[in-house]
Amino acid sequence: MVKKIVSFVFFANYFVGLLAVALSLETMFQLGLPFNAVPYYILIFCATVFYYTIAYSIPPGSTFSSNPRTEWYRTHYRFTRVSQYVLFTICAGIAGWLLIRDFNKLLHLPVANWLLILSIPTAAILYYGLLPKSIISFNLRHTGWLKAFVIGFVWAGFVNVFPITMLRIEQDIVVHEPIFMFWLFIKNWMFCTVNAIMFDMKDYADDANIQLKTFAVRMGLGNTIVYVLVPLSLIGLLSFLAFAYFRHLSGPSIILNMLPFVCLLSVAFALQKPKSVLFYLIVIDGLLLLKAICGIAGSFFTLH
């Protein structure tokens, strides 16, 4: 029973939806801002689960797969299909309601805001190649080394830019120190990018067979850790320290926020040995939850 529950939560991407909410809350805590309205968090949870499930929609007639995640989707095809309809309906309903309610406020957003918030869903759509082939035949998921940066960019935008933009629309609250946002965005971008590269290491053998030139395929597992994961983690860490400097964070807050980066590198070095799919879903994705928890906890020690 426990195994079924764990598989349901992690394979069905509900944990990823929880991460989107947790990281969005972390942003508000770290910037000292009020929360968004509850419907917004329901929207991002459902949108995240729906989006991540698209790649695993397996037809019921497919043959048995040795990948436990793929096999879970094959055997739960009917549930997945119904779930996707429900999630899409909720997303469309909330998004439509927000659009009607805040239409005038949306029209008055600065052009820079519009360019930024449109770039994020555009990258997410191009990642899966969801546009009709007659419009553009492009799939960022097949670009090898670039795809991890795209994933990191979308996640950073989703949990940093979107909540703050929505707060501006809902409560007319504007962040007047964009330098805070810049360093916070870079920190999250690098953290999520490293997380995505670690997932590519899981698919090292399969990617090599189809000649998808990810970092792990191009450089090998050991070199990827030393020459890619470590530098990107350091960039993210330095970005956080810059944010901490401008934000005047206290010592305990800085230490708490540095902890996820230490854990990130520790897990990265452990990936040189084969791990199960659930290890990646629980431990590596769990690093994002740890990051959110540490960021929220650290905000209580911030010197205002």
Side-chain angles (χ1 to χ4, degrees):
M1 179 61 71
V2 174
K3 185 177 180 180
K4 288 183 177 179
I5 293 174
V6 171
S7 297
F8 176 78
V9 171
F10 289 94
F11 286 163
N13 296 310
Y14 291 110
F15 184 67
V16 182
L18 173 64
L19 292 178
V21 175
L23 291 170
S24 298
L25 291 173
E26 180 199 12
T27 294
M28 311 316 273
F29 271 103
Q30 291 193 318
L31 291 174
L33 298 172
F35 300 146
N36 298 109
V38 173
Y40 172 76
Y41 293 113
I42 296 174
L43 174 62
I44 63 171
F45 174 85
C46 293
T48 303
V49 177
F50 176 84
Y51 178 79
Y52 268 83
T53 304
I54 291 174
Y56 294 94
S57 299
I58 308 299
S62 297
T63 56
F64 173 82
S65 174
S66 58
N67 185 317
R69 191 180 195 183
T70 304
E71 180 61 16
W72 187 91
Y73 275 100
R74 188 184 72 84
T75 56
H76 294 80
Y77 173 77
R78 182 171 296 178
F79 165 80
T80 302
R81 188 174 183 181
V82 172
S83 175
Q84 287 293 81
Y85 281 127
V86 172
L87 290 169
F88 180 80
T89 301
I90 294 174
C91 290
I94 295 178
W97 173 67
L98 292 175
L99 180 63
I100 295 171
R101 188 192 68 178
D102 301 315
F103 186 74
N104 289 330
K105 293 180 180 179
L106 284 167
L107 289 179
H108 290 89
L109 282 178
V111 175
N113 272 76
W114 271 112
L115 292 175
L116 192 54
I117 62 177
L118 288 177
S119 67
I120 297 162
T122 298
I125 290 170
L126 291 177
Y127 177 74
Y128 276 143
L130 297 179
L131 293 176
K133 298 297 186 293
S134 57
I135 298 177
I136 182 173
S137 180
F138 189 61
N139 191 323
L140 289 172
R141 199 180 186 195
H142 297 155
T143 54
W145 65 271
L146 180 62
K147 73 172 189 173
F149 289 97
V150 174
I151 295 172
F153 174 80
V154 172
W155 267 97
F158 200 56
V159 302
N160 283 161
V161 178
F162 276 18
I164 292 173
T165 302
M166 195 64 199
L167 192 66
R168 179 173 187 160
I169 295 170
E170 290 176 338
Q171 304 181 37
D172 200 28
I173 296 176
V174 181
V175 177
H176 294 289
E177 302 90 354
I179 191 69
F180 291 170
M181 275 298 303
F182 173 77
W183 291 116
L184 188 63
F185 181 85
I186 297 297
K187 179 198 80 163
N188 286 326
W189 187 3
M190 292 301 101
F191 195 96
C192 294
T193 296
V194 170
N195 190 274
I197 293 173
M198 290 163 67
F199 263 96
D200 282 343
M201 295 169 70
K202 168 180 68 71
D203 300 323
Y204 168 76
D206 292 337
D207 289 340
N209 288 335
I210 63 175
Q211 298 183 339
L212 181 59
K213 301 299 183 182
T214 61
F215 282 112
V217 173
R218 287 174 178 268
M219 305 174 64
L221 298 180
N223 287 337
T224 297
I225 294 171
V226 175
Y227 297 113
V228 179
L229 297 188
V230 171
L232 291 179
S233 297
L234 290 177
I235 292 173
L237 185 57
L238 291 174
S239 298
F240 164 70
L241 292 176
F243 171 80
Y245 172 78
F246 287 108
R247 189 68 176 161
H248 306 294
L249 299 187
S250 64
S253 180
I254 293 174
I255 292 172
L256 277 169
N257 279 276
M258 290 176 65
L259 178 61
F261 284 94
V262 175
C263 294
L264 188 71
L265 289 175
S266 299
V267 173
F269 280 99
L271 295 181
Q272 297 182 77
K273 296 181 179 180
K275 306 293 182 182
S276 67
V277 174
L278 273 177
F279 175 89
Y280 285 87
L281 294 175
I282 296 174
V283 176
I284 297 181
D285 273 350
L287 290 170
L288 293 173
L289 181 60
L290 175 66
K291 174 185 173 300
I293 292 172
C294 289
I296 292 171
S299 68
F300 290 101
F301 294 96
T302 301
L303 296 177
H304 295 286

